[in-house]
Structures are given as structure tokens and as C-alpha cells.
Amino acid sequence: MKEQIVEQYPIISSFHKGINQELDEQIIGLGEATRIENGFIDDGNLSLGKGYVKLNEYNLPDGNKRLMNFYKDNDAVILVAVGDSIYKLNEAGTAYEVISSGYSNNDFNFVNYQIDLDEVTILTNGIDNVVVFDGTTFRDLKHDGRSSDDSTDNKAPKGKYIELHKERLWISGDTEYPNRLYFSRDFDIDDWTYPVDEMSANRHGGFIDIPTWDGGVIIGMKSLFDDVVVFKNKNVFRVFGTYPGNYNVIQVFDTVEGKILDNTIASLENTAIWTSTEGIHIFNGVNTASVSDKVKKYFNMLNKEYAHKAVATIHKRKYILSIPTGTSTENNMIIEYDLKSNAFTIKYGVNASSFLSIGDELLFTNTDNNIFKYGIGNTYDGNPIDSVWESGIIHFGEQNARKILNRIYFTAKGTGKIRITCTSERKTVVKEIELTDTFEFYRHRMRNKGRLMKFKIENIDGCDFTIKQPQFMFDFDYD
């Protein structure tokens, strides 16, 4: 039978779908990838992923840090907990200064609040008394504004986790009562009186016990919809109701294996998202779903022995998760999940142990002496960024045809060279292309043959680049 040769021009119209490791690499679409490391795809083009820079040159002490903030007249003041102290940048902007010290640990959680006309930040670390910072002084949270004494109903509870919901302050993570969820009186964060009868149930604070039979304890909570969503090691619960007299509890998630990682719990509008040692999960108020199968090969690299160091935040509608992988004892990989497009990308070379989202800026820190701005610049604080995008195995819907690659076409700009690799079952061919700093149309000869093709796009020596809609000239040989 005579061979029929047909010329075709398949194109990657957009890169925005991100990584898809959920399906076999021969099934995923032409615009999907098996790898995107240190790349940016939000606009549909493929570009170098943004790096990070120092916020300033004012060094902090060594050691793990926790980033927080205090607002005054809508201006954010950055607070940093290091060792047994809390620091802030002084008014002159010349150095970080200690504003409070003597704490048992720096593992703080915080919320911003307003008492009358005074803006405050409320901080808790699970061991020391809960404290209130008004921009100048710290005071212990106490009952009814009175000095604390030894009576049970006159003490504010201690706890590791803190949240605001329906004008009540909620605290959990009490080491003595690890399954207990405390709440203050509405509009009065200093009233924690436990009601003694039904008549007073809605006029003060109180608590709810959430026991389970698997040994789990409360590890976090988020205000979501009209509920408080409570996280335990292996379970998630909804606390719903409009006032203490009608609060109810229902379980909404139960992980079969592994455990939920407390510092990965985040929320946006009406969605809660968290990471367990099994994957990344989303709760929309009704249903819970696992979303991380698209990056399962990356997630399976999680170092479970040090998984407790994982941290996450939501910034510009992206869930940004920092985890330790392989044999690393520190966080060394970031998984970015775009909540709008449902797309994943990966970043290597970033060690983030604490995040803080402030307006358009995302800050992070680690054991180094500085605070860094995330998603800024074309280097990792001066170090070049290696970027790679890799397709699945492509047959263009024509498994019965041999493909003869002749040319590649694309529009691009950059500050150096990119490398395009085409691999078939027969051989691998590589083309290095010098880019200019303005968008140009490129047309290059590239020869390969085979029934199955795989493409890879990389930058060389960390160069900045953007590539749009690469297109391939093939002869399809039907035999």
C-alpha cells in the first residue's frame, strides 16, 4: 500500500493548564506538562518563574522565625518572633528592635482585631498567656478587663490556635484540654466566663469539647461561611450555629492514613485548604476533595519525618505550600496551586519556614538573618534560577503515523539562550537558541522521527525568557 504523507502544524496554544501527573503521560493534552519547575504560566505563556529578594539588609538573629503583623491606620507593621523575643523594625528604619521578650517559644499564631477604636494584634503560642499588642505595649488577655486571679472563671484560656468568628475570639490547642475549643463573649475578648446555667449561656463565653477516638487533638481552626472549621490530626469538624445555645458539631473529613499538617491550614473566602501527609485537600463548606493528584510524583517526595515543618499561605488566589523533600530536613520545594485555574507549578531553591501575605506582597523567612519578598526579580537573592517545562509523550492523536519533525516556530524574548529538546523512541535532538530582549518570531530547523514525541523547554544559565505558542512542522507518514 502506498504511503500517504500529510503535513501538519500542531501548536501549544497555551501553557496555563500546568502540571498533570494524574494521568498517564501519553494521555495528557499538548498544553499540559509532566514538569514545570521554576516557571510562570499564569498568562498562558511560558516564562521564567519569579525569584525573591531581601526585604532589607537589617539582619535578625539566627533561628527559626514566625512572621506576623500589626495594623495602624491601615499601615502594616511587620513583627518577627525569634527565639524568646518579638521584634519590629524601628521607626527610623535602621534596625530591628526587641519589643517584647521572655516567651517559652516563638511558634505564635495571631489575629488582628479592634477594641473600640484601638487596633490590636492578639498573639498566642500555646504555652504563655495570650497577649494583646496595641502598637506600643503588650498586656495579657484577661477576663472582663480585671486583673487575673486564680479562680477558674476569671482566667483567659491558653492555647496555640486563635481565630475570630462572629465577633468572638476562639482559642484552641490548650495542652491540658487538647480537644477543647474556647470562645469569648461577642464584642468582648476579655470575657471568658463559662455559663453556669442556660439563662446565661449567650451572655458570656464558653467552650465546646470535640473528642475523637483515634487519639487526635485540635491542631487549628478557620472561620468559614457561618461556621468555625476545626482541624484535628486526622479529622475536620464544622461548628455551626448563631449563638452558644445552639452550637452544633459535625465531622466533614476523615483521613484514612497520615495526619494533617497544622501550619498548612489556610482559607480564602468560602474555601478552606490544607495539606496532610496524603495530599492537598479543599473543603467548600459542603464537600471535601483531594486536589494534589496532578502533582503526585512531586508530593510523594515529601520527607514525612520532617513534614511537620511544612507551611502554607494563600496569596493572590494561590495556595503556596513549602515542604521538605527527599532527605532534606528543611523545606526545599514549593508547590503553587492556582485556585482559579486549578493549575500546579513547582519551585525549587526556596527555603520558606514562615509566610506573611500583606497586600500585594508575600514575605517569607527561614533560619537566615533576613526577611525576603517572594515572587520578585529574576534570581533567588542573586543566584540564577534554572527553569524547565516538559510535555508528556505526544502522538497528536495519530498513533498509526510516523512523525517527521522538520521545524519549530515560536515568538519569544529573553536575556540569553533557551534549549528546546525533542525526544522520540529513536533519538533525542537539541536546539539552543539565542533570544533578544524584545519579542521576535523564531523559525528553526529541527529534525527528528518517531511515532511518539516528547518536548522539553529550558533556560540556560538562569536567563530570563518568555516563549509564546510554540508550533511544530511535522510530516505525518501513514503506513
Side-chain angles (χ1 to χ4, degrees):
M1 182 176 178
K2 187 177 179 180
E3 294 181 351
Q4 179 186 9
I5 297 178
V6 178
E7 195 172 86
Q8 294 192 27
Y9 295 84
I11 185 173
I12 300 177
S13 58
S14 176
F15 293 92
H16 78 279
K17 292 182 180 180
I19 299 169
N20 187 351
Q21 298 176 341
E22 183 175 12
L23 303 176
D24 186 278
E25 61 178 334
Q26 292 195 45
I27 299 175
I28 66 174
L30 182 58
E32 296 178 303
T34 57
R35 293 173 65 194
I36 304 178
E37 296 170 7
N38 299 331
F40 179 82
I41 59 170
D42 292 14
D43 57 1
N45 303 320
L46 176 63
S47 304
L48 177 69
K50 293 300 182 182
Y52 63 83
V53 297
K54 289 185 179 73
L55 175 67
N56 52 46
E57 292 292 341
Y58 310 125
N59 287 345
L60 287 157
D62 290 334
N64 287 323
K65 303 170 181 63
R66 180 59 61 92
L67 291 172
M68 303 170 288
N69 65 267
F70 165 77
Y71 280 97
K72 184 66 174 178
D73 299 326
N74 293 321
D75 291 328
V77 177
I78 298 169
L79 307 178
V80 192
V82 190
D84 69 347
S85 301
I86 298 174
Y87 295 74
K88 77 169 183 177
L89 191 64
N90 63 17
E91 292 183 2
T94 56
Y96 289 99
E97 60 182 3
V98 175
I99 57 173
S100 187
S101 61
Y103 296 100
S104 301
N105 67 48
N106 67 341
D107 191 15
F108 282 96
N109 283 279
F110 74 100
V111 294
N112 297 119
Y113 190 61
Q114 185 168 311
I115 301 175
D116 296 325
L117 297 178
D118 297 325
E119 294 168 294
V120 299
T121 296
I122 309 167
L123 308 92
T124 183
N125 65 4
I127 298 177
D128 302 307
N129 292 331
V130 182
V131 294
V132 181
F133 177 57
D134 63 7
T136 304
T137 61
F138 287 80
R139 71 166 177 87
D140 288 350
L141 191 70
K142 51 186 178 291
H143 171 74
D144 276 341
R146 296 171 292 181
S147 299
S148 298
D149 59 28
D150 291 331
S151 62
T152 301
D153 69 343
N154 207 33
K155 279 188 174 182
K158 296 180 181 181
K160 186 177 180 181
Y161 310 103
I162 191 167
E163 185 63 276
L164 288 170
H165 179 70
K166 292 186 181 296
E167 299 301 333
R168 297 179 188 268
L169 186 63
W170 299 68
I171 292 176
S172 62
D174 182 347
T175 55
E176 187 175 357
Y177 299 100
N179 291 304
R180 181 161 292 179
L181 181 65
Y182 299 93
F183 53 89
S184 74
R185 181 180 180 178
D186 53 343
F187 298 99
D188 186 355
I189 62 170
D190 284 302
D191 187 346
W192 298 87
T193 305
Y194 309 147
V196 295
D197 55 51
E198 293 184 4
M199 295 297 294
S200 63
N202 302 316
R203 297 201 298 266
H204 295 286
F207 63 84
I208 302 169
D209 286 325
I210 307 179
T212 50
W213 309 113
D214 58 9
V217 297
I218 295 175
I219 61 166
M221 54 188 171
K222 288 292 178 182
S223 179
L224 187 68
F225 291 106
D226 289 329
D227 309 333
V228 176
V229 181
V230 181
F231 297 83
K232 303 188 77 173
N233 301 92
K234 297 187 177 185
N235 309 276
V236 181
F237 297 82
R238 283 175 55 208
V239 178
F240 59 96
T242 55
Y243 52 88
N246 69 353
Y247 284 157
N248 287 281
V249 179
I250 186 172
Q251 183 172 327
V252 297
F253 175 79
D254 180 13
T255 180
V256 177
E257 297 177 353
K259 62 179 181 179
I260 298 170
L261 307 175
D262 60 340
N263 289 322
T264 69
I265 301 168
S267 63
L268 176 68
E269 297 167 354
N270 294 324
T271 300
I273 183 168
W274 66 91
T275 299
S276 75
T277 50
E278 295 177 280
I280 302 170
H281 311 271
I282 282 184
F283 175 60
N284 63 7
V286 179
N287 299 310
T288 302
S290 175
V291 297
S292 53
D293 282 349
K294 285 189 173 182
V295 286
K296 61 183 180 182
K297 293 180 181 178
Y298 286 109
F299 197 86
N300 288 342
M301 297 165 60
L302 173 70
N303 184 344
K304 292 187 177 181
E305 184 179 356
Y306 291 89
H308 62 277
K309 294 191 175 183
V311 296
T313 191
I314 292 179
H315 181 70
K316 293 184 177 180
R317 308 194 72 83
K318 285 186 178 180
Y319 181 68
I320 300 175
L321 169 67
S322 180
I323 62 173
T325 63
T327 60
S328 177
T329 61
E330 301 293 336
N331 295 337
N332 64 339
M333 184 174 78
I334 286 180
I335 299 175
E336 287 194 4
Y337 174 53
D338 192 316
L339 294 164
K340 183 178 180 181
S341 65
N342 197 34
F344 283 92
T345 57
I346 299 295
K347 281 190 175 179
Y348 277 116
V350 183
N351 172 9
S353 59
S354 178
F355 285 116
L356 180 65
S357 178
I358 301 181
D360 290 333
E361 290 187 338
L362 177 59
L363 308 180
F364 75 91
T365 189
N366 46 41
T367 56
D368 292 336
N369 296 339
N370 292 95
I371 299 172
F372 301 93
K373 290 183 180 181
Y374 181 91
I376 301 292
N378 299 323
T379 67
Y380 287 152
D381 193 30
N383 298 310
I385 302 173
D386 295 325
S387 178
V388 60
W389 177 95
E390 190 168 338
S391 74
I393 297 174
I394 304 167
H395 50 73
F396 304 106
E398 302 286 353
Q399 296 192 62
N400 62 327
R402 287 182 300 163
K403 291 83 179 175
I404 304 170
L405 175 64
N406 294 308
R407 293 184 184 276
I408 55 174
Y409 309 87
F410 56 89
T411 300
K413 70 174 182 178
T415 60
K417 289 183 179 181
I418 61 171
R419 180 185 296 118
I420 299 178
T421 303
C422 176
T423 301
S424 70
E425 69 273 19
R426 298 178 61 181
K427 65 177 181 178
T428 296
V429 295
V430 178
K431 190 75 175 181
E432 292 187 0
I433 301 164
E434 185 84 32
L435 303 179
T436 66
D437 59 2
T438 58
F439 278 113
E440 291 188 11
F441 178 73
Y442 293 83
R443 177 178 181 267
H444 287 272
R445 182 175 294 277
M446 193 170 187
R447 304 283 291 180
N448 202 351
K449 294 181 181 181
R451 295 185 183 273
L452 304 174
M453 298 284 184
K454 188 177 181 73
F455 290 92
K456 183 165 61 174
I457 302 171
E458 305 167 274
N459 67 341
I460 297 176
D461 297 328
C463 82
D464 189 15
F465 74 98
T466 298
I467 182 170
K468 297 182 178 183
Q469 297 189 322
Q471 191 168 13
F472 312 96
M473 178 183 173
F474 279 97
D475 290 331
F476 280 54
D477 184 1
Y478 297 89
D479 51 7

